[in-house]
Amino acid sequence: MRPTRPTFAARGERRAARRTAPALAALGLTAALAMTATACGPGGDDKADAKPTSSATAGGDSLQIPSDIADQLKKHGIDPDKWKNGEWKNWDKAKWLREAKDFVNPIIAGLWDPDRMRKADKPPQTPVPNDISGDKGVTDPTPAPVKARAQQAPYHQSLPELGKLFFDGPEGSMVCSATVVKDPAHPGKSNMVWTAGHCVHAGAKGGWYRNIAFVPSYNNADLPLAQLKKATREQIAPYGVFWADWAQTSQQWIEGGGPTGGQGAPYDFAVLHVTPEKGKGGKSLEETVGSAMPVDFNAPAVPKIASMTANGYPAAPPYDGQKLYQCKDKPGRLSLDASLPTMYRLGCTMTGGSSGGGWFAAGADGKPALVSNTSIGPVTSGWLAGPRLGKEAKGVYDSVSGKYAGQ
């Protein structure tokens, strides 16, 4: 995805032109995993973001920092008042909270306005070859590309669980895809969202991203880009904006993940607990959208799976990040190292922005379930790979559910 500022866009386009040719010829594991930042991307104007938007400040003090979160900020030497006035833009290593227990995400009402959501893009990514050579584990032949199909509007009718995830990092405003999932502690009233680990945490060399918010059925009416530039927040986010009040990813991603996937790629998943921007009370996220996907942590082996569908909002060319797409293919296996879990791989032309989007298949009980999420893919956009969800993923899921079980 391209940056939103013209000067950055020009530089990004020149970089892409320089990188494409050698990327096609290069082989090797290190280069092969660029899309782990596959689905995210920077945008926004630093000067424009220096202060909260007018909608963010309307009505006075609109930054909601509960006392426990304020205490958590203070524990790390962060002044809540300064955070409210833009200190969240400070990405100094000492200020970038990293450990699982350190996640904080105060709501800034109105921060994700239509313009900021539309412009959110992905940071520069390392080019990757079309396939990986030298893998030690089980890797099936590279799948043929499957052209992503645009979903028919309104998206909510066919995929009510899908949406876009917005967040801020050092490179600017970024975007991924995400899925509403069931919460065993609150049947029918889930506030849990599934995405990729790299959509919430930078991995080995960084910490938690900030201002993480989920928008279910983003651009539900499939408005073209020209109309979106004039669209209201209600048109872009018809079911509201939900902020993450908790996020959790695997320790393997925190310790080994990176811009090209790294050792954390097979553990590149995350679960969020969200709350509506307009305040607690009323309907849950699941009640608001009318559905939530079950998660299968014991999906059948690849040879027994007839097909999987990957869903998301791809934003890198030829896509613009404003429309929902889907790929359907029989999965294959991708092994990055014999010591790491084997990942699923599908033929798919979706690009950056689709990261974190849920992969659906018939679960062990034969019913549709979330069995993976988009994690990595090649610069040539011919396939996507996602983690197989096992005990580590279930541990993250159960932990988030248990944290809010009594609430």
Side-chain angles (χ1 to χ4, degrees), residues 66-127:
S67 59
D68 58 334
I69 292 181
D71 290 342
Q72 187 73 2
L73 290 171
K74 291 176 182 177
K75 191 185 302 181
H76 291 277
I78 299 172
D79 185 326
D81 290 329
K82 290 182 179 179
W83 185 276
K84 163 185 165 182
N85 292 319
E87 176 66 12
W88 65 262
K89 296 174 183 296
N90 181 354
W91 297 98
D92 292 347
K93 203 164 185 179
K95 299 286 186 180
W96 199 353
L97 305 186
R98 170 174 174 77
E99 301 305 321
K101 66 182 185 300
D102 294 336
F103 178 79
V104 288
N105 192 50
I107 295 174
I108 304 177
L111 178 68
W112 291 109
D113 60 24
D115 191 55
R116 205 165 187 266
M117 283 193 277
R118 178 174 51 81
K119 290 180 177 179
D121 208 343
K122 74 174 185 59
Q125 60 188 53
T126 306

Side-chain angles (χ1 to χ4, degrees), residues 240-330:
V241 177
F242 290 77
W243 285 65
D245 50 11
W246 188 251
Q248 197 160 330
T249 185
S250 68
Q251 191 61 30
Q252 290 91 336
W253 175 257
I254 290 175
E255 294 177 356
T260 58
Q263 297 293 299
Y267 304 95
D268 184 16
F269 43 76
V271 179
L272 313 176
H273 186 275
V274 300
T275 189
E277 179 176 288
K278 293 185 177 180
K280 295 183 178 180
K283 292 183 178 180
S284 65
L285 173 59
E286 182 177 0
E287 292 172 302
T288 300
V289 303
S291 184
M293 287 296 294
V295 184
D296 192 332
F297 298 101
N298 189 29
V302 163
K304 296 183 179 181
I305 301 176
S307 67
M308 280 187 185
T309 55
N311 307 276
Y313 284 83
Y319 309 100
D320 61 12
Q322 311 306 316
K323 300 176 184 294
L324 180 60
Y325 284 82
Q326 184 179 83
C327 288
K328 185 175 183 179
D329 192 21
K330 181 173 176 57

